[in-house]
Amino acid sequence: MGFAFGVAYIAFRGVTGTTGVNVLINIVQITALLVFSVMAISYRVHHGEGSRAFQLVNGIPVDYNVMQEPVLENGKPKLDPAGQPVTAPKMDDDGMPVPEMKDGKPVPFTITYATSEAMKMEPVDADHPADLTPHFKFHERASSVPAPHGFSLIVIRPASPFLILVGFESVTSMGEEARNAKRDIPRAVLLSLGFRDLLLPD
């Protein structure tokens, strides 16, 4: 609740505050985006093919391979469209994923960027192991980033311009501080869009 009030206060100050407050808000926003970008790039650089890492199994982060068990439907093993048995992660009585063991130790989970692993059919959740749905893992190629991968992701996609254009709205809100608003505001709008297209092309 405190976080919500904090965000509301920042939004209020952004509307009613001075140019200095607007600048500060944009600095915080852009800094946060840069930090998250560095974290994501750093993780990818330091976790190449075959690196040990964590995976989410029914929302639980684990760094080992999880045993699979057949999914039953009407008392019989469920089959996928290719006729192969459908499996799901095996969970213990406490709801924790059961590790796949080798030589008395859990088999570590390693990252792969193979194309076949980019999209996997997995249970919707732990309570519905027989209901499978495509789970996006990673982009197999750069052209995959702007491409649609399902209706829910298409709905989420429009949110990206709000992050891409952080600070863009300040061009007009700071107009009253411009010495020559008629000349500088259109120029600032076009320059900001131009830099955005150069740095983040779709």
Side-chain angles (χ1 to χ4, degrees):
M1 183 174 290
F3 177 77
F5 277 111
V7 172
Y9 176 74
I10 291 176
F12 173 76
R13 292 296 296 172
V15 173
T16 63
T18 63
T19 301
V21 174
N22 288 332
V23 170
L24 179 60
I25 291 172
N26 282 288
I27 289 174
V28 171
Q29 290 175 322
I30 294 172
T31 301
L33 287 176
L34 290 174
V35 169
F36 289 133
S37 298
V38 170
M39 290 172 61
I41 294 172
S42 176
Y43 182 88
R44 178 63 180 85
V45 169
H46 292 91
H47 291 79
E49 181 78 21
S51 299
R52 184 168 184 173
F54 281 89
Q55 63 171 330
L56 283 177
V57 179
N58 291 338
I60 302 171
V62 294
D63 63 349
Y64 52 78
N65 285 339
V66 178
M67 289 184 63
Q68 301 293 306
E69 59 182 358
V71 174
L72 300 179
E73 190 173 50
N74 299 324
K76 298 179 181 180
K78 183 175 182 178
L79 303 178
D80 63 17
Q84 299 298 317
V86 174
T87 61
K90 186 175 183 179
M91 312 297 285
D92 62 20
D93 295 335
D94 297 324
M96 292 295 294
V98 177
E100 181 182 325
M101 305 297 289
K102 184 178 181 180
D103 299 328
K105 297 180 180 180
V107 177
F109 171 74
T110 55
I111 290 180
T112 177
Y113 298 102
T115 302
S116 59
E117 300 295 320
M119 190 78 72
K120 301 288 288 185
M121 294 297 292
E122 296 180 352
V124 175
D125 53 45
D127 298 326
H128 304 85
D131 298 332
L132 302 181
T133 184
H135 277 66
F136 172 78
K137 298 297 183 180
F138 58 87
H139 292 288
E140 55 191 273
R141 61 183 66 89
S143 60
S144 172
V145 177
H149 297 281
F151 180 74
S152 61
L153 296 177
I154 292 176
V155 173
I156 295 171
R157 177 69 177 173
S160 60
F162 291 99
L163 297 178
I164 293 172
L165 298 176
V166 164
F168 175 75
E169 74 285 352
S170 297
V171 171
T172 53
S173 65
M174 295 180 182
E176 62 184 14
E177 303 293 330
R179 292 183 178 179
N180 189 340
K182 188 175 182 179
R183 179 198 67 188
D184 295 337
I185 291 180
R187 184 180 297 176
V189 170
L190 294 175
L191 284 174
S192 63
L193 290 175
F195 283 127
R196 180 265 172 194
D197 289 335
L198 288 174
L199 298 175
L200 297 166
D202 288 335

